[in-house]
C-alpha cells in the first residue's frame, strides 16, 4: 500500500488538503480553549493558601452609612463582573474618620470628623501558594492599592491596608 495513492489520499483514506484543514481547525480550537480555560485549569490544580486582606473605605457620608448600618456584611461573598469569587467578608468595623483642622493660629490639629466614618472590611480568600501576584477575582491585591469592594448589594472604592498570606 502506498503512502499517498494516485487520487492524493493519505493511506487511501483522506485527502491531504482535507487533513490539513482538519488539523488547522483542531489546533485553533485547542488554542482558543487554552486561552479561555487555561488560567482556570491552572488555578484549579495549584495548591492554595488563605489570604486575609484588610480594606478601608474612607469618609463614608451619613446617607450611605445609614443604609450600610442596617445590613450584616459578615459572610457575604465578593462579586467580580457578573459572578461571585472565592472571597468572603469575615469582619466589618466602623471607625472614626480622621481629618486635620486649621486653628486660628494656622496650625493643623488632628481631629475626628463628626459626620463621616471609615468602614474597615476584613476579607478572606483562597490564592495560589507561592504566587508573585495575588489576586481576588481579576484585581491585584497589594497594600496601598485601591480595590473595588463589591458585593451583590454594596460597592465602594477601598484602600488595601494589610495583606497576610497564611503559611
Amino acid at each position: 500500500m502506498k503512502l499517498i495513492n494516485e487520487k492524493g489520499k493519505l493511506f487511501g483514506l483522506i485527502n491531504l488538503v482535507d487533513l490539513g484543514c482538519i488539523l488547522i481547525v483542531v489546533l485553533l480550537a485547542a488554542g482558543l480553549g487554552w486561552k479561555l480555560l487555561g488560567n482556570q485549569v491552572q488555578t484549579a490544580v495549584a495548591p492554595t493558601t488563605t489570604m486575609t486582606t484588610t480594606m478601608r473605605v474612607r469618609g463614608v457620608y451619613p446617607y450611605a452609612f445609614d443604609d450600610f448600618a442596617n445590613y450584616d456584611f459578615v459572610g457575604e461573598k465578593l462579586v467580580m463582573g457578573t459572578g461571585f469569587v472565592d472571597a468572603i467578608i469575615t469582619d466589618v468595623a466602623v471607625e472614626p474618620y480622621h481629618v486635620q483642622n486649621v486653628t486660628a493660629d494656622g496650625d493643623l490639629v488632628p481631629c475626628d470628623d463628626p459626620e463621616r466614618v471609615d468602614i474597615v472590611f476584613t476579607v478572606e480568600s483562597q490564592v495560589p501558594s507561592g504566587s508573585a501576584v495575588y489576586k481576588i477575582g481579576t484585581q491585584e491585591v497589594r497594600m496601598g492599592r485601591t480595590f473595588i469592594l463589591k458585593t451583590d448589594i454594596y460597592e465602594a472604592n477601598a484602600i488595601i491596608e494589610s495583606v497576610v498570606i497564611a503559611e
Side-chain angles (χ1 to χ4, degrees):
M1 173 182 236
K2 292 182 178 180
L3 187 62
I4 299 174
N5 68 9
E6 59 278 350
K7 293 182 181 178
K9 291 187 175 186
L10 185 64
F11 298 114
L13 300 173
I14 187 165
N15 191 322
L16 288 177
V17 174
D18 294 340
L19 179 65
C21 291
I22 291 171
L23 284 175
I24 289 172
V25 169
V26 168
L27 290 174
L28 285 174
L32 182 64
W34 181 258
K35 186 73 173 167
L36 293 175
L37 303 174
N39 288 340
Q40 294 173 353
V41 170
Q42 184 178 8
T43 325
V45 297
T48 61
T49 187
T50 301
M51 176 175 67
T52 305
T53 309
T54 305
M55 305 176 194
R56 180 179 297 265
V57 180
R58 293 190 43 85
V60 178
Y61 286 97
Y63 67 87
F65 179 70
D66 291 341
D67 292 337
F68 175 85
N70 295 327
Y71 191 79
D72 183 19
F73 284 94
V74 174
E76 288 289 315
K77 291 185 92 173
L78 296 189
V79 173
M80 286 293 154
T82 59
F84 291 103
V85 294
D86 190 16
I88 297 174
I89 297 173
T90 57
D91 189 35
V92 179
V94 177
E95 296 180 358
Y97 177 57
H98 301 295
V99 294
Q100 293 181 334
N101 281 340
V102 180
T103 63
D105 299 338
D107 294 331
L108 287 176
V109 178
C111 64
D112 294 339
D113 189 316
E115 293 188 11
R116 297 190 292 173
V117 294
D118 285 354
I119 303 173
V120 180
F121 291 90
T122 304
V123 176
E124 284 190 3
S125 58
Q126 295 298 313
V127 294
S129 297
S131 177
V133 177
Y134 295 104
K135 292 183 177 185
I136 295 177
T138 58
Q139 297 184 76
E140 289 185 14
V141 175
R142 292 192 178 115
M143 290 188 318
R145 277 187 77 124
T146 58
F147 186 89
I148 300 173
L149 182 82
K150 182 177 173 184
T151 68
D152 55 348
I153 64 161
Y154 183 76
E155 180 173 348
N157 287 325
I159 298 171
I160 299 173
E161 291 189 335
S162 70
V163 179
V164 177
I165 309 295
E167 293 296 325

